[in-house]
Amino acid sequence: MTLYTIQPLHLYENLILHKSLLNTGDFINDYTKEFLDSYNWMVEQMLRYGLSKPKKANYPFWAWYKYSSEKNKPDLRHSAHAPRDTKCVCLELEISDNLVLLSNFDLWHCVLNNIPIFDDSEWDKKYAEYKKLSTISQNKIKKGSWEKIFTDLTDSPIQATFWELKNQDIKDVRFFTAR
């Protein structure tokens, strides 16, 4: 499967030096720290879906499988890939399908924001009912609804998570500075 991951230049240099990298948590920054509960949930899902975690890995790497409805490759002119003026690389990777978990990028934001996934047409009604429930019931409904990020892969950008970045998986490198 062809994937595209955007990483800071220093991570790529480290990858070239060491031939492979695991995300031990060293790549977590101040911005991403607030999402650790969501990242931990994704780790649990990867394990549940049969993607065995290497011993020293704490978190997966993220990549694009489908950036938009028009293209798979990310648009590096977009401003949200990294902090402005950060030297980055976009790595085109070829990774075996059985090492990757695909998920709906748009719905992933419900996990990041710790809210349930409800259909847009019924959002207000269902959310009002949801808020009346006990915390235990809310958590059960919320986490159950998050399963949709793995099954609704049609109209959204699709992200991919995997455990290890390897030199041998790199098919192309595009250097850029984040806008």
Side-chain angles (χ1 to χ4, degrees), residues 135-146:
T135 303
I136 292 171
S137 295
Q138 284 181 0
N139 279 332
K140 186 176 180 181
I141 288 170
K142 177 178 57 183
K143 290 190 175 186
S145 76
W146 290 350

Side-chain angles (χ1 to χ4, degrees), residues 125-166:
K125 180 182 173 205
K126 286 200 174 213
Y127 193 71
E129 293 168 3
Y130 167 82
K131 290 304 283 180
K132 293 176 186 174
L133 299 172
S134 69
T135 303
I136 292 171
S137 295
Q138 284 181 0
N139 279 332
K140 186 176 180 181
I141 288 170
K142 177 178 57 183
K143 290 190 175 186
S145 76
W146 290 350
E147 288 301 310
K148 191 171 183 178
I149 76 168
F150 304 114
T151 59
D152 183 359
L153 300 176
T154 52
D155 295 327
S156 171
I158 299 172
Q159 63 184 3
T161 51
F162 56 95
W163 292 116
E164 188 172 9
L165 270 174
K166 299 178 189 175

Side-chain angles (χ1 to χ4, degrees), residues 50-68:
L51 281 79
S52 299
K53 183 168 72 81
K55 200 172 204 170
K56 293 184 180 181
N58 291 319
Y59 299 101
F61 287 101
W62 260 259
W64 292 104
Y65 174 72
K66 184 174 94 171
Y67 183 72
S68 70

Side-chain angles (χ1 to χ4, degrees), residues 14-30:
N14 207 357
L15 173 60
I16 296 303
L17 181 66
H18 296 288
K19 309 283 187 243
S20 72
L21 289 178
L22 299 172
N23 189 347
T24 59
D26 295 339
F27 308 120
I28 301 293
N29 58 36
D30 289 339

Side-chain angles (χ1 to χ4, degrees), residues 38-54:
S38 300
Y39 295 163
N40 288 327
W41 179 84
M42 183 61 85
V43 166
E44 291 170 15
Q45 301 316 300
M46 291 177 72
L47 295 172
R48 193 169 67 82
Y49 278 87
L51 281 79
S52 299
K53 183 168 72 81

